[in-house]
Amino acid sequence: AVVNFLDRMLYVEDRVLRIEEQAIEKTSPLAGKSLGDCQVQKRTGLMIIAIRNSENGEFTYNPPNDYRINPGDALIVLGDTSQMEALSRYASNG
């Protein structure tokens, strides 16, 4: 079932979904804020599946809304290319 899901996920009818990461620079408007405050999913349509912690390299899977994003963290997200571009713009200049 998982392999079938991944095959279908990568080629949804009219768009291609990807799993990518978005590094959060210290100048990012997301740095220092909670996921709930940032509303990444609402603003971009992306699903945040994990966050890689910049200090210890560990992943927090399905991070809660109160997770505070630190400079250097990386958001691991699922979505299409236009959603990824929206996150890149949002993470760099709000």
Side-chain angles (χ1 to χ4, degrees):
V2 173
V3 171
N4 189 22
F5 166 76
L6 292 172
D7 284 343
R8 290 179 184 215
M9 177 197 75
L10 293 173
Y11 299 100
V12 176
E13 298 167 13
D14 60 341
R15 63 185 186 156
V16 177
L17 297 177
R18 303 247 187 260
I19 296 175
E20 293 189 15
E21 74 174 58
Q22 173 68 53
I24 304 301
E25 304 296 331
K26 84 172 130 175
T27 58
S28 171
L30 307 182
K33 293 184 179 175
S34 71
L35 278 179
D37 289 341
C38 295
Q39 298 186 341
V40 171
Q41 185 169 7
K42 183 177 180 181
R43 291 188 64 158
T44 67
L46 290 167
M47 178 187 301
I48 299 174
I49 56 178
I51 297 177
R52 189 187 68 218
N53 184 287
S54 62
E55 293 180 13
N56 59 22
E58 292 186 11
F59 290 91
T60 299
Y61 299 97
N62 192 23
N65 279 335
D66 64 351
Y67 184 100
R68 189 143 318 270
I69 302 170
N70 296 306
D73 284 357
L75 307 181
I76 312 301
V77 295
L78 170 66
D80 64 31
T81 54
S82 66
Q83 293 168 322
M84 300 292 179
E85 290 168 2
L87 176 59
S88 181
R89 286 190 304 273
Y90 181 38
S92 63
N93 63 21

